[in-house]
Every structure is written in C-alpha cells, then in structure tokens.
C-alpha cells in the first residue's frame, strides 16, 4: 500500500517538475529570442526543415482524413435520408477539430522527435557545451529558431490540410454518395463561420508551440549514453501526444462553451 502511494506521489512530482522545466525553458527562449539579433536566417532554415519537408506526410494525412470522415458521415446520414448534408457535417468536424489535431499528432510528433534526436545528439557529443563555452546562448541559438518555426509551420500545414481534406471529401461525396462536388463544396463552406476557422487556427498555433518546446526540452534533457537519444525520442512521442490532447480539450472548452 505504501509503495503504491509513493509511486503515485513520485509520478505526480515528476509531472510537475517536467511542466516546470518546460515553462522555464519557454520563458528563457522567449526572453532571449526577443533580443537582437533575432536569428531570422535560422528561423527560416528551420521552417524549411520542419514544415516544407513535412508536406508529403501532411498531404497524405489530410486527404485520407477528409475521405474517411466524409465516408463515415455519409454512411450515417444515408440511414436518415439526409446524405446531402454530408458537406455541412464534414466541414465542422474537419476544420474545427480533426485537421489541426490529427496534423499535430502525426506531423507534429515527427517534428518534435526530429528536434529531440538532433539536440540530443548534440548534447551527447557535447556540442551544446561547446556553444556555451564560446559565449553564445544555446537556448537562443538552438531553441528559439525551432520554437518559432514550429509555431509557424504547423498552422500553415493545417491551412494546407484543410484544402486537401475538402478535396478528398468532395471526391468521396461525389463518387460514393452521389452528392455533386459543387453542392458538397457549397454546404461545406456555408456551414462554417469565421470563428470556426479562427478556433482551428488557434489550436494549430498552440499545438505548434507545444511541439517546438517539448521537442527542444526533451533534447536538452537527453542523458549521456548510447541508448539515451532513442529513449528521449520515444518519450517525446508520448509527451507530445498527451500534451496535444490535453490542450485540445482545454481549447475546445474555450471555443465551444455549453449553455
């Protein structure tokens, strides 16, 4: 009994320590990044590395999410004789929730693990210590560009993914449920209000920030040893997924209050 209580207590304490470390690193990155020089070249380099190179995965995920969700809604609405409403149902679910969340869980996890592996390898090989010994700030040089790039790249990929999900859904609606592409598009767009787009974009921005800071933090926390980088990247996948789902729930409560 006592051992179980100690395990729960140590787990809670470790969770608070992790959140505190993330918050401290985020604050130091913002404070250092907002001082000149801003590292514009490094930020654009990371946007290309993190965002542009993730476009093939984002393309595949967005198309198939749009197709799968439209198929699910179409099949369910057919039993009510309301298959023509498939565009309205799919539009709300995709733009508000599924595209930003699925994109963050897949593309975001890829981005975060890449950061962890890169920074973890640098720590193991003592390159981070070398940067500090030369008088540079490792957080400003390594964390700030990746944090900004992830916060920009993920929303951009979500906007791109919304367009592709719409196209994938239109193909399924037309070919499987005999709902014309033009009608699907019209009902899809008519159902959405500016706040729906804003909520999806805000979610993507928050998810991008989480992805960037968690990937960097796990990289800086990598221990020395041959297996350390692999363990750190595995932990990054778990931490990123849990943090995104929790943040998604919080933002959903904010943007869709009941009552």
């Amino acid at each position: 009994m006592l051992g179980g209580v100690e395990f729960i207590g140590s787990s809670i304490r470790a969770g608070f320590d992790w959140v505190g470390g993330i918050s401290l690193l985020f604050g130091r990155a913002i404070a250092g990044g907002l001082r000149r020089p801003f590292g514009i070249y490094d930020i654009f380099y990371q946007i290309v590395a993190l965002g542009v190179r993730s476009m093939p995965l984002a393309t595949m995920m967005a198309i198939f999410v749009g197709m799968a969700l439209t198929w699910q809604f179409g099949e369910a609405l057919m039993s009510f004789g309301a298959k023509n409403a498939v565009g309205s149902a799919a539009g709300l679910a995709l733009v508000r929730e599924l595209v930003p969340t699925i994109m963050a869980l897949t593309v975001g996890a890829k981005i975060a693990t890449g950061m962890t592996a890169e920074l973890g390898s640098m720590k193991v090989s003592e390159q981070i210590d070398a940067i500090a010994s030369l008088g540079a700030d490792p957080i400003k040089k390594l964390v700030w560009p990746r944090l900004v790039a992830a916060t920009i790249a993920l929303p951009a990929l979500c906007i791109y993914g919304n367009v592709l999900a719409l196209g994938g859904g239109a193909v399924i609606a037309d070919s499987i449920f005999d709902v014309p592409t033009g009608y699907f598009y019209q009902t899809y767009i008519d159902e959405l209000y500016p706040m729906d787009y804003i909520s999806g974009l805000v979610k993507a921005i928050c998810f991008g920030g989480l992805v960037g800071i968690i990937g960097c933090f796990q990289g800086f926390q990598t221990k020395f040893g041959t297996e350390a980088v692999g363990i750190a990247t595995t932990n990054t996948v778990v931490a990123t997924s849990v943090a995104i789902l929790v943040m998604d729930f919080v933002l959903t409560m904010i943007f869709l209050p009941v009552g």
Side-chain angles (χ1 to χ4, degrees):
M1 181 69 179
L2 183 60
V5 173
E6 289 179 349
F7 175 77
I8 294 173
S10 62
S11 299
I12 294 174
R13 179 179 178 181
F16 278 109
D17 289 341
W18 185 83
V19 173
I22 289 278
S23 302
L24 181 61
L25 181 63
F26 180 79
R28 291 180 63 185
I30 296 298
L34 294 179
R35 296 196 303 266
R36 293 179 181 273
F38 299 118
I40 301 299
Y41 173 81
D42 292 334
I43 290 173
F44 276 99
Y45 176 83
Q46 290 299 326
I47 289 175
V48 173
L50 302 178
V52 176
R53 294 177 185 173
S54 298
M55 288 185 70
L57 177 59
T59 299
M60 184 184 70
M61 292 302 303
I63 291 174
F64 280 98
V65 165
M67 293 170 68
L69 188 75
T70 303
W71 193 304
Q72 292 280 355
F73 276 125
E75 192 275 336
L77 291 170
M78 278 185 69
S79 60
F80 297 100
K83 67 178 182 178
N84 288 336
V86 65
S88 300
L92 288 174
L94 288 170
V95 173
R96 279 182 184 173
E97 184 66 29
L98 281 181
V99 170
T101 304
I102 296 295
M103 200 71 72
L105 290 173
T106 53
V107 179
K110 169 186 174 294
I111 291 173
T113 53
M115 291 181 187
T116 299
E118 185 179 6
L119 294 178
S121 298
M122 293 178 68
K123 182 178 180 182
V124 170
S125 60
E126 299 183 348
Q127 294 181 52
I128 295 178
D129 294 335
I131 292 174
S133 66
L134 292 172
D137 182 2
I139 294 177
K140 180 177 179 61
K141 181 67 177 176
L142 300 175
V143 177
W144 167 251
R146 289 168 173 81
L147 175 61
V148 175
T151 307
I152 294 173
L154 199 56
L157 289 173
C158 283
I159 295 171
Y160 172 70
N162 278 326
V163 176
L164 294 180
L166 169 59
V171 170
I172 293 298
D174 194 4
S175 60
I176 303 299
F177 300 106
D178 296 324
V179 177
T181 300
Y183 184 80
F184 177 87
Y185 172 79
Q186 193 62 45
T187 54
Y188 190 103
I189 297 298
D190 288 346
E191 190 65 26
L192 295 169
Y193 292 91
M195 187 53 67
D196 297 322
Y197 294 105
I198 292 172
S199 65
L201 189 60
V202 169
K203 284 185 178 184
I205 292 172
C206 293
F207 295 160
L210 279 176
V211 164
I213 198 63
I214 291 174
C216 293
F217 179 77
Q218 294 294 120
F220 271 66
Q221 293 297 307
T222 302
K223 295 178 171 55
F224 291 94
T226 56
E227 299 179 355
V229 176
I231 294 172
T233 53
T234 302
N235 292 337
T236 298
V237 174
V238 177
T240 302
S241 301
V242 172
I244 286 171
L245 292 175
V246 171
M247 178 63 72
D248 179 51
F249 176 71
V250 172
L251 293 174
T252 298
M253 288 194 302
I254 294 173
F255 285 108
L256 294 175
V258 177

